[in-house]
Amino acid sequence: MERKLASIQRIESISPIEGADSIEKAAVLGWEVVVKKGDFTPGQLCVYCEVDSILPDRPEFEFLRDRKFRIRTIKLRGQVSQGICFPMHILKDYRLKNVVAGTDVTEFLGIKKYDPQAEAEQKETERVTAIHNGRIDKLLKRYTWYRKLFMHGRSDRMPMPSFITKTDEDRIQLFPHACTEWAGVRFIATEKLDGQSATYYCIRNPRKGLFGKKWLFGVCSRRFQLLKPDNSSYWTVAIEQDLQNKMTSWCENNGMGLIIQGEIIGPKIQGNKYKRNKYEFYLFNATAYEAGLKRVYPQSSQKTIADDLGVDTVPIITGDYYLQGTIAQTVATASGDSLLADTPREGLVVRNYSRKISFKIINVDFLLKYGE
């Protein structure tokens, strides 16, 4: 499900900010947002835009031009503010069928998500497309012999296979009643790494025939399957870790397919905050796949699978994690340093496998330090 970057929400409460005369704090879902004093009242509907939203270049958003129209985590008078609230009249030019809390208005407002990895992949796709659509290439495409020789199978990527679930946990603030609903539930908390999401799979070949391969191996970025080996971080990890042979052996021994997902950190990835001189892969999800059925392995089994494949798992913070009394108190537990480098950790990923609950808690210190 696509993230609701902008939605109609209700102001849950308004609180004063110590030492501030013109601003105050609004609670929306589980977020705390600094707003102009008197602009909103408890119970009032508003249009809430989340952190990482990129608003369109329009007059009403002109005040965000120096921030390149991107909404980031900021601190005003000592109060952390995540997101921005607009009055409902921002939607005056749109006809909405439902004007109720929770209505997604992302597309109505033309808001895009700030996603460096997706942007990089899109630029690379455009670059390859441009190469394949040069003037000479366009000229020669009119000839059948050229199309047969050079156009068949030229694409080096395709959309992510349908049997793979994209990795993108929701933030805890989107579950405003989590601390009461899941009070006393035991979770496993792992460190959230700021890198590139990667997926590798090995599944049975449904069309292997008499001499075909029994198992199919695939390499995927966050959005695409990368069909040909290249010098990308995804294929570099696959080749250096010998994942095709290791995963094929694992599948043969266990009689089922396997999907592993993880984070790659290293040079030129998100500013290389972990100061690595080569690409490193950290597994955070392992799934059995057989005959169209999937089963996610719990953390203990993931560690065993990672050991079998010779890869690392994301650092485990604790196997006994419990939510605090409030969202704000729970968010505070994400503070701390990374276990991989001398830098604030991006946050926590929290899971309970038996109840299929998972979410992420982002470290505010990380967001402020890196302007996120």
Side-chain angles (χ1 to χ4, degrees):
M1 183 176 65
E2 292 296 324
R3 179 176 166 188
K4 290 182 181 180
L5 294 170
S7 59
I8 297 173
Q9 298 296 343
R10 196 173 298 280
I11 302 290
E12 299 295 334
S13 65
I14 296 289
S15 307
I17 298 174
E18 185 176 355
D21 297 325
S22 60
I23 57 175
E24 53 194 356
K25 179 178 67 177
V28 180
L29 295 172
W31 303 98
E32 294 182 342
V33 188
V34 172
V35 297
K36 185 178 179 181
K37 183 170 286 189
D39 276 3
F40 300 97
T41 57
Q44 180 180 351
L45 290 178
C46 70
V47 175
Y48 172 69
C49 299
E50 292 188 15
V51 170
D52 290 338
S53 297
I54 299 181
L55 277 62
D57 185 350
R58 289 179 13 197
E60 56 265 48
F61 305 131
E62 180 64 27
F63 68 97
L64 291 169
R65 181 173 295 279
D66 60 343
R67 304 178 192 175
K68 298 182 179 180
F69 298 98
R70 178 185 163 198
I71 299 176
R72 308 168 186 251
T73 298
I74 59 174
K75 183 179 282 189
L76 298 169
R77 292 296 184 94
Q79 172 63 48
V80 173
S81 180
Q82 294 186 285
I84 190 168
C85 294
F86 291 103
M88 288 295 291
H89 65 68
I90 200 80
L91 299 173
K92 65 181 184 301
D93 295 329
Y94 303 96
R95 296 179 180 179
L96 296 177
K97 294 181 179 179
N98 296 310
V99 184
V100 296
T103 301
D104 189 350
V105 293
T106 304
E107 290 189 17
F108 283 99
L109 291 175
I111 293 175
K112 306 297 182 183
K113 180 182 177 182
Y114 174 72
D115 189 338
Q117 184 175 355
E119 289 177 8
E121 291 184 0
Q122 183 61 34
K123 287 180 180 179
E124 176 61 16
T125 299
E126 292 172 356
R127 184 188 70 82
V128 172
T129 301
I131 291 174
H132 290 179
N133 287 283
R135 292 180 64 184
I136 295 178
D137 189 73
K138 287 183 177 179
L139 177 65
L140 294 175
K141 279 179 182 177
R142 69 182 67 182
Y143 300 107
T144 304
W145 64 267
Y146 179 81
R147 294 196 300 270
K148 288 183 177 180
L149 281 175
F150 297 104
M151 293 183 64
H152 179 68
R154 286 182 67 170
S155 176
D156 60 351
R157 63 185 62 195
M158 63 184 296
M160 182 83 81
S162 60
F163 58 85
I164 292 177
T165 303
K166 292 183 180 179
T167 59
D168 193 8
E169 303 289 346
D170 287 327
R171 300 194 190 201
I172 190 173
Q173 287 90 343
L174 298 180
F175 305 99
H177 305 296
C179 295
T180 52
E181 289 183 6
W182 302 329
V185 175
R186 178 175 174 269
F187 293 94
I188 294 173
T190 59
E191 180 177 343
K192 186 181 186 310
L193 302 182
D194 188 28
Q196 289 179 331
S197 298
T199 299
Y200 302 96
Y201 70 82
C202 186
I203 63 171
R204 292 187 191 275
N205 184 357
R207 302 183 182 87
K208 71 182 182 68
L210 185 60
F211 301 104
K213 293 181 179 179
K214 182 177 179 181
W215 299 95
L216 296 177
F217 175 73
V219 175
C220 302
S221 65
R222 187 172 179 179
R223 300 172 62 203
F224 299 104
Q225 179 175 348
L226 309 180
L227 303 177
K228 300 176 182 178
D230 54 28
N231 61 356
S232 67
S233 62
Y234 312 101
W235 269 106
T236 299
V237 165
I239 294 169
E240 290 184 352
Q241 298 277 2
D242 195 24
L243 289 181
Q244 181 169 2
N245 288 326
K246 290 179 179 178
M247 291 182 70
T248 300
S249 295
W250 189 96
C251 292
E252 287 280 6
N253 293 335
N254 290 273
M256 66 183 69
L258 177 66
I259 303 168
I260 63 171
Q261 297 175 298
E263 203 79 3
I264 298 176
I265 62 174
K268 298 182 179 180
I269 297 178
Q270 307 288 31
N272 195 11
K273 300 178 180 69
Y274 305 95
K275 307 300 181 185
R276 295 306 201 255
N277 56 18
K278 60 178 293 187
Y279 298 128
E280 296 180 6
F281 174 76
Y282 292 86
L283 183 149
F284 58 64
N285 195 32
T287 304
Y289 181 85
E290 191 66 18
L293 300 177
K294 295 191 291 186
R295 177 170 59 89
V296 177
Y297 287 104
Q299 189 71 45
S300 57
S301 298
Q302 288 184 29
K303 182 64 171 66
T304 300
I305 291 170
D307 290 343
D308 290 343
L309 299 178
V311 301
D312 294 315
T313 62
V314 291
I316 298 176
I317 303 301
T318 178
D320 292 296
Y321 181 88
Y322 296 90
L323 298 180
Q324 303 299 301
T326 66
I327 294 293
Q329 292 171 336
T330 299
V331 169
T333 66
S335 297
D337 292 331
S338 170
L339 296 181
L340 300 181
D342 183 19
T343 186
R345 65 185 176 214
E346 186 183 4
L348 305 175
V349 176
V350 179
R351 292 188 176 95
N352 179 289
Y353 289 91
S354 61
R355 297 185 59 170
K356 298 181 180 180
I357 302 171
S358 64
F359 50 86
K360 61 188 176 185
I361 310 173
I362 304 299
N363 179 8
V364 173
D365 296 332
F366 174 93
L367 296 172
L368 294 173
K369 177 175 180 176
Y370 294 110
E372 301 291 333

